[in-house]
Amino acid sequence: MIEALVHASVVRRRAVLLVTLVATLLAAVVAARLRFDALPDVTTNQVLVLTRAGGLTPEEVERLVTRPIEIGLGGIPGMVKQRSVSRYGISSITAVFADDVSPFLARQMVQERLALVGDRLPDGIDAPELGPLTGGLGEIFHFTIRSPERTPAELLELVELRLVPLLRAVDGVVEVNTWGGERRTLDVVGRPDAMARFRLTLGQLEAAVVAATGTAAGANLADGTSQVLLRGVSRPTTPHELGSALVRPAVSGEPGVRIADVADVRWGSLPRIGAATSNGEGETVYVMAQMLRGANALQVMERLHARMADVDAALPEDVSVDIVYDRSKLVGATLATVAKNLAEGGLLVVVVLFAMLGSFRAGLLVALVIPLSMVFALAGMALLDIPGNLMSLGAIDFGLLVDGAVVMVEAVFCGPSAPPSTPTRWQSGPAASPARCSSRSSSSCSSTSRSSPSPASTARCSGRWPRP
């Protein structure tokens, strides 16, 4: 069958060239859909469980939070192992599943177990929540927000209320995290002398502050053919508004007491355990966008670049955005390095082939194997959804690509030769003398033996194509 195929290829040379050209064009079209990235993501199939435990030490977090959750997650089908980290105020548990388990099914099973574990946690502990569905290489976009006219608290509010919703709406972005800034609060600091004069306790002051914020439901009034809903709304946004709330109403001729009469109301912030700075220019707000596991970094970055125009429009003029890390630049630099190395390696192999084979036609045939093999390999990677990266593209060996072609071309140019007789260690003469054959266009081959060559040690070599 192979002999018939070779014979048909030689007879119908133009048809073979046409089929090869059409197949190459089709492979090039398929290869154009190949996804590229810098490195392969080898993150295991895992689900991250995070639990906030404010005020607890690492030992207490391990004993009261981490351990009960680990026991509750035990025995989930498909789970291979679990590991945990207990730190001040937070518990992190990673449940690792087998590769054949769907990540969405794994998250569903973990969430079902967490619903049963919630009753075992102490009071004051937040409900456990799942981490984002991302991998170890999911951090694709970092930038900072700064302004010479705004406080860290104002910058954080701009990011959380304007930027984060825009970035999370991008296809392929699974999470947007922030560092730095401050959580702005309204602090009520009681004055002991004033509270003693009005005979008020700290508990009464706290109850007044709590009652001064919220919504009270009311009835409804008829308005023609429709109704008007009544409700009481109290949401102070400034220290003056909160200070105007009553602690004790006026009774028995005594005037009412407001919060501002017995306490100082001012702007404040929640206690912080860290801050973010940039280039030694003071505090800033650091923003990081994470990519969905399995998504393509270049495609997601293209969507993020398009969305940054909306981000700039949503920010005031005095606020600027500084890019810290852009995955697309890393991918571009990596692919440029790989392409440069592949081009230099292929060119070097082609030069060596032309120099060593000594025949332009033979060198051209062998050299054509390199681009053809590359095109069909890239098409196969695209069909199998294997991304092109530093590992998959950098593993191409041109020596292996042209090895078989060199053997086949040499066989075509030199022709078949009869197998020599097997010499023994005492045997000498023409039968033990190997023949040397070159693929050069000369039509003679020489033997290393000085005596006349025998039929078994004579090779036929011709620089012309064999006639059918």
Side-chain angles (χ1 to χ4, degrees):
M1 178 179 178
I2 297 179
E3 183 177 355
L5 180 62
V6 173
H7 183 271
S9 301
V10 174
V11 173
R12 298 174 177 83
R13 303 171 188 174
R14 296 182 178 178
V16 171
L17 293 176
L18 181 60
V19 171
T20 303
L21 179 60
V22 173
T24 303
L25 293 178
L26 293 178
V29 173
V30 176
R33 300 183 300 175
L34 179 64
R35 299 185 299 115
F36 292 98
D37 206 338
L39 294 171
D41 192 352
V42 295
T43 305
T44 56
N45 186 13
Q46 60 187 21
V47 179
L48 181 63
V49 180
L50 300 174
T51 308
R52 294 185 179 91
L56 297 184
T57 63
E59 181 181 357
E60 293 173 333
V61 172
E62 176 68 24
R63 178 168 51 87
L64 300 176
V65 181
T66 303
R67 186 58 179 167
I69 296 178
E70 286 181 337
I71 296 176
L73 296 181
I76 295 181
M79 188 174 68
V80 178
K81 62 179 179 180
Q82 51 180 324
R83 56 181 182 267
S84 63
V85 177
S86 298
R87 296 180 178 176
Y88 174 74
I90 190 169
S91 169
S92 175
I93 301 176
T94 302
V96 181
F97 288 82
D99 294 337
D100 57 346
V101 178
S102 171
F104 300 100
L105 176 61
R107 294 173 67 87
Q108 177 183 350
M109 293 188 294
V110 170
Q111 187 64 53
E112 291 175 355
R113 292 294 184 90
L114 292 179
L116 302 177
V117 178
D119 298 337
R120 308 177 190 174
L121 300 179
D123 296 336
I125 304 300
D126 294 348
E129 57 186 27
L130 300 184
L133 181 58
T134 185
L137 300 178
E139 302 177 3
I140 60 173
F141 192 46
H142 298 203
F143 62 92
T144 60
I145 299 295
R146 59 182 176 86
S147 172
E149 304 176 4
R150 299 180 184 269
T151 63
E154 293 175 333
L155 290 177
L156 182 60
E157 291 174 0
L158 283 175
V159 170
E160 292 183 341
L161 299 179
R162 298 188 183 184
L163 269 63
V164 171
L166 290 174
L167 296 179
R168 281 182 176 172
V170 175
D171 186 18
V173 175
V174 68
E175 181 66 298
V176 179
N177 296 328
T178 60
W179 288 270
E182 295 178 342
R183 299 285 181 182
R184 187 162 51 174
T185 61
L186 283 174
D187 293 346
V188 179
V189 183
R191 298 194 300 269
D193 55 341
M195 295 176 62
R197 184 172 65 253
F198 288 102
R199 296 186 299 276
L200 294 175
T201 63
L202 190 61
Q204 291 175 318
L205 179 60
E206 179 185 4
V209 173
V210 174
T213 59
T215 302
N220 56 75
L221 296 176
D223 183 15
T225 58
S226 60
Q227 292 181 342
V228 177
L229 300 179
L230 301 180
R231 60 180 184 145
V233 180
S234 175
R235 298 193 182 277
T237 58
T238 64
H240 177 72
E241 293 179 359
L242 182 58
S244 301
L246 288 175
V247 179
R248 186 175 61 193
V251 291
S252 302
E254 295 183 1
V257 180
R258 301 177 304 164
I259 294 178
D261 296 334
V262 295
D264 295 329
V265 184
R266 59 197 180 196
W267 288 112
S269 61
L270 293 177
R272 299 189 298 169
I273 58 175
T277 61
S278 176
N279 299 325
E281 299 177 355
E283 289 195 38
T284 184
V285 177
Y286 195 91
V287 185
M288 178 190 67
Q290 291 184 307
M291 177 183 64
L292 180 68
R293 184 193 304 174
N296 182 255
L298 280 179
Q299 297 175 356
V300 177
M301 284 306 306
E302 290 178 358
R303 304 186 192 108
L304 281 174
H305 291 160
R307 183 55 57 89
M308 289 305 293
D310 299 334
V311 170
D312 295 335
L315 293 175
E317 296 181 356
D318 60 294
V319 179
S320 59
V321 178
D322 298 325
I323 306 299
V324 177
Y325 172 72
D326 190 336
R327 174 66 64 81
S328 61
K329 295 182 179 180
L330 174 63
V331 176
T334 302
L335 295 179
T337 302
V338 173
K340 176 176 176 293
N341 293 338
L342 291 177
E344 292 178 352
L347 182 61
L348 180 61
V349 171
V350 170
V351 171
V352 172
L353 288 175
F354 278 102
M356 300 302 295
L357 292 179
S359 172
F360 178 78
R361 291 184 298 172
L364 182 61
L365 286 175
V366 177
L368 286 176
V369 174
I370 296 177
L372 293 178
S373 301
M374 287 288 297
V375 170
F376 287 107
L378 295 179
M381 293 172 61
L383 292 176
L384 298 177
D385 198 21
I386 300 176
N389 50 57
L390 182 62
M391 302 297 292
S392 59
L393 297 180
I396 297 177
D397 189 345
F398 292 107
L400 294 177
L401 291 179
V402 302
D403 187 28
V406 170
V407 175
M408 295 298 295
V409 169
E410 187 174 7
V412 170
F413 272 67
C414 294
S417 59
S421 59
T422 304
T424 62
R425 63 170 32 177
W426 303 283
Q427 191 176 7
S428 61
S433 300
R436 294 180 296 145
C437 180
S438 173
S439 61
R440 298 180 180 272
S441 58
S442 59
S443 58
S444 63
C445 290
S446 61
S447 175
T448 56
S449 175
R450 295 183 178 178
S451 58
S452 58
S454 63
S457 61
T458 302
R460 295 181 293 104
C461 181
S462 174
R464 300 181 179 179
W465 288 101
R467 296 294 182 181

